[in-house]
Amino acid sequence: TPCYLVDLRSLNDTEIDGTFTNVYPMSRNGVFGVLGPYGIGGDESYFLPWVNMSTYINDFAVGTVQDIVYKDSVWHPYHQHVNPFQIQKIDHGGVAVEFEESASIWYQVGDWHDSLQLPAGPATSVNIRFQADQFTGHMIQHCHILHHHDKGMMAQYKITGEEYTVWDGAQKINPTCILPSGPMKNSDKEEEEYFELLEGSSLSM
């Protein structure tokens, strides 16, 4: 097992660097966005469409573990780049929800994903957890209905610190997990081209 995929369900609060909320709301006058800024005490009522490559909704350090509470997950499938997440909890808010068998098998507590497309109830929230592993800089998250993404339902986290740092708690959970054999290099050229494309698209505001 790679160390960035060790089971994170046993962690206590002191081992989790940050917990914040993510909400994708309904569109407002044809404009899509996210609710933030995020973080404990953050104002979840603040509506923020995509701004530019220099605007972040949250920041955290590489080599840490982060928790996200994804609220109202019935409306939009959540997708994040760079770091996969592990499902920690699925809470339907006391409302009985029945899934097709394929969905109930595919999304279970303990599973790893990079997208969450859960056919949930109106009160459903999902707790997800991930390691910010190795890479610093931009970490995109967006609705995976792409015309929502294209109309502004996208934001990014800023991962800070020293590139290639890994979380030192992984080998305490699984001493046989496999650490990276050496630095992996993101393509700066590809990243620049991606953001140039965004800046020239309908997301530019």
Side-chain angles (χ1 to χ4, degrees):
T1 302
C3 286
Y4 68 87
L5 292 180
V6 298
D7 192 344
L8 302 176
R9 288 176 291 173
S10 64
L11 300 190
N12 60 51
D13 291 346
T14 62
E15 296 173 287
I16 299 166
D17 178 69
T19 300
F20 53 97
T21 301
N22 200 332
V23 184
Y24 291 166
M26 301 300 288
S27 64
R28 301 185 180 182
N29 297 319
V31 177
F32 289 78
V34 298
L35 293 180
Y38 304 138
I40 297 174
D43 180 5
E44 294 173 22
S45 67
Y46 184 75
F47 183 70
L48 182 69
W50 172 262
V51 182
N52 56 43
M53 64 179 290
S54 301
T55 300
Y56 301 91
I57 58 169
N58 201 0
D59 62 85
F60 41 81
V62 66
T64 62
V65 175
Q66 302 295 321
D67 268 11
I68 299 176
V69 181
Y70 180 46
K71 296 174 65 175
D72 305 330
S73 62
V74 64
W75 304 116
H76 301 279
Y78 172 85
H79 174 65
Q80 69 180 37
H81 293 199
V82 184
N83 296 296
F85 58 78
Q86 186 183 38
I87 297 175
Q88 303 294 306
K89 180 181 178 182
I90 300 174
D91 182 2
H92 299 299
V95 178
V97 177
E98 292 186 5
F99 297 146
E100 293 183 6
E101 184 179 2
S102 59
S104 63
I105 293 173
W106 189 250
Y107 293 111
Q108 297 187 41
V109 171
D111 288 350
W112 287 90
H113 294 276
D114 62 13
S115 298
L116 184 68
Q117 191 162 1
L118 188 66
T124 298
S125 64
V126 182
N127 294 48
I128 61 178
R129 181 173 294 168
F130 64 92
Q131 296 181 48
D133 183 67
Q134 293 198 73
F135 301 117
T136 60
H138 308 279
M139 179 178 163
I140 294 288
Q141 53 105 331
H142 60 84
C143 175
H144 221 272
I145 300 173
L146 291 185
H147 74 273
H148 293 180
H149 160 285
D150 290 347
K151 291 184 177 180
M153 191 168 281
M154 181 174 77
Q156 59 180 341
Y157 310 124
K158 183 177 184 179
I159 306 178
T160 61
E162 185 176 349
E163 191 92 348
Y164 313 126
T165 299
V166 297
W167 179 54
D168 59 11
Q171 288 195 311
K172 296 176 183 177
I173 295 173
N174 181 356
T176 65
C177 73
I178 301 171
L179 288 168
S181 58
M184 295 177 64
K185 180 63 176 174
N186 272 333
S187 170
D188 294 334
K189 183 175 186 296
E190 287 182 3
E191 184 176 87
E192 289 173 5
E193 289 175 348
Y194 179 74
F195 280 105
E196 285 175 4
L197 178 63
L198 290 181
E199 294 298 311
S201 74
S202 58
L203 293 177
S204 298
M205 298 186 182

